[in-house]
């Protein structure tokens, strides 16, 4: 029995560290996609293989600094405190020391994200149709207009309950300009696992796959590629013409010298 318990604990630790971790939703900022008290499973495996956050994903990330208030002090009871640390270490309950948030990725590195008035949110010139926004909310809040170009390696995040979410919009004066480093992302929330009657997969909305939304991120590299390719093609063509001309001249002189033999 002790061996089986030990194996179970090791497996739980491995799963929590490298594969999947459960997180509890403590606020209303992601309603109605996520409700307070929901448990979500977060994919922590794919980031180990170089996967980066993409638009539309719901992600858990560490507090970049100043987004959350200080954690309440740990229990004064040594037994309770030790039990909490042990269970949080293997992923069976949240850690009292970790400060994590959950939001939706709206923009990634290179994107220009903007919004004025009540919306819509515009990404790279494309307005977003956001059916996941909390009913009765507007995509943006008139008193917090913004236009940002997201730095490479960072993301712009917003809660689905737009009028009850202190997201990127409210941290533009802090280091990072309201964006979150990819390195701070714990993983992508993939499913609502609890309660059972709310089980649901957290898929990427189709608004983020509309034609042209990648134009700003793709056009620049393409233009740079073409600008670099044209001179190379011209240089190669010149070399080819010179080489052809030299071969023609060499062939002519050779034919004159061998004409008698041919006769």
């Amino acid at each position: 029995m002790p061996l089986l318990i030990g194996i179970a604990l090791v497996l739980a630790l491995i799963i929590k560290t490298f594969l999947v971790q459960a997180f509890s939703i403590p606020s209303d900022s992601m309603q109605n996609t996520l409700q307070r008290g929901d448990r979500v499973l977060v994919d922590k495996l794919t980031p180990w293989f170089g996967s980066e956050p993409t638009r539309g994903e719901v992600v858990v990330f560490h507090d970049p600094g100043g987004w959350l208030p200080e954690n309440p002090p740990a229990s004064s009871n040594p037994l309770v405190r030790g039990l909490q640390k042990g269970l949080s270490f293997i992923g069976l309950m949240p850690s009292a020391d970790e400060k994590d948030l959950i939001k939706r990725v709206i923009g990634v590195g290179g994107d220009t994200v903007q919004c004025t008035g009540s919306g819509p949110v515009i990404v790279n010139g494309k307005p977003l149709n956001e059916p996941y926004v909390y009913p009765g909310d507007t995509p943006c809040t008139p008193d917090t207009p913004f236009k940002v170009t997201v730095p490479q390696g960072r993301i712009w995040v917003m809660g689905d309950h737009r009028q009850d979410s202190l997201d990127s919009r409210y941290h533009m004066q802090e280091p990072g300009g309201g964006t979150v480093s990819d390195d701070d992302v714990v993983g992508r929330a993939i499913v609502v696992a609890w309660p059972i009657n709310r089980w649901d997969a957290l898929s990427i909305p189709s608004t983020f796959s509309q034609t042209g939304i990648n134009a700003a991120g793709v056009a620049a590299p393409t233009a740079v590629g073409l600008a670099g390719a044209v001179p190379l093609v011209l240089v190669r063509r010149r070399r080819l013409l010179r080489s052809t001309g030299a071969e023609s001249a060499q062939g002519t002189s050779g034919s004159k010298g061998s004409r008698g033999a041919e006769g």
Side-chain angles (χ1 to χ4, degrees):
M1 185 62 70
L3 178 61
L4 292 177
I5 293 176
I7 292 174
L9 292 176
V10 170
L11 289 176
L13 178 60
I14 292 174
I15 291 172
K16 173 248 183 180
T17 304
F18 300 104
L19 301 178
V20 176
Q21 184 174 355
F23 285 84
S24 176
I25 306 304
S27 72
D28 300 327
S29 68
M30 281 296 293
Q31 285 183 320
N32 270 338
T33 304
L34 300 173
Q35 301 289 350
R36 186 190 296 258
D38 283 352
R39 265 65 171 180
V40 297
L41 298 182
V42 173
D43 168 25
K44 300 177 69 176
L45 177 63
T46 51
W48 287 92
F49 294 92
S51 174
E52 297 179 349
T54 60
R55 302 182 201 94
E57 291 182 343
V58 176
V59 297
V60 171
F61 56 94
H62 298 310
D63 183 356
W67 286 41
L68 289 175
E70 291 300 319
N71 288 331
S75 172
S76 58
N77 187 317
L79 181 60
V80 173
R81 190 166 59 248
L83 182 62
Q84 182 182 22
K85 286 186 177 181
L87 293 177
S88 64
F89 180 71
I90 60 176
L92 296 181
M93 73 176 297
S95 171
D97 300 323
E98 292 182 357
K99 298 171 67 175
D100 298 319
L101 301 95
I102 185 166
K103 304 290 180 188
R104 189 180 297 277
V105 179
I106 301 299
V108 297
D111 286 347
T112 297
V113 186
Q114 62 188 98
C115 195
T116 57
S118 59
V121 176
I122 299 174
V123 178
N124 297 330
K126 295 292 181 178
L128 300 183
N129 175 27
E130 300 183 282
Y132 45 80
V133 169
Y134 185 74
D137 278 8
T138 56
C140 301
T141 305
D143 61 355
T144 55
F146 62 89
K147 181 177 182 180
V148 298
T149 298
V150 184
Q152 293 296 333
R154 303 187 73 87
I155 55 176
W156 178 270
V157 297
M158 299 175 73
D160 290 354
H161 196 341
R162 294 289 161 82
Q163 271 72 66
D164 191 17
S165 176
L166 297 178
D167 45 44
S168 289
R169 296 169 292 169
Y170 296 92
H171 300 280
M172 291 187 288
Q173 304 305 317
E174 298 174 11
T179 63
V180 178
S181 171
D182 290 353
D183 295 335
D184 285 332
V185 176
V186 175
R188 173 190 172 187
I190 53 177
V191 65
V192 180
W194 188 264
I196 294 177
N197 64 334
R198 282 194 41 77
W199 188 94
D200 192 17
L202 297 172
S203 58
I204 298 177
S206 59
T207 188
F208 292 96
S209 60
Q210 61 178 302
T211 303
I213 197 169
N214 291 319
V218 174
T222 303
V224 171
L226 287 173
V230 170
L232 289 175
V233 171
L234 292 176
V235 170
R236 185 176 179 183
R237 185 179 180 185
R238 286 181 180 178
R239 289 180 178 175
L240 183 62
L241 290 174
R242 290 175 181 175
S243 175
T244 304
E247 289 177 358
S248 299
Q250 184 177 5
T252 302
S253 59
S255 62
K256 289 181 180 178
S258 59
R259 185 171 296 174
E262 287 178 352

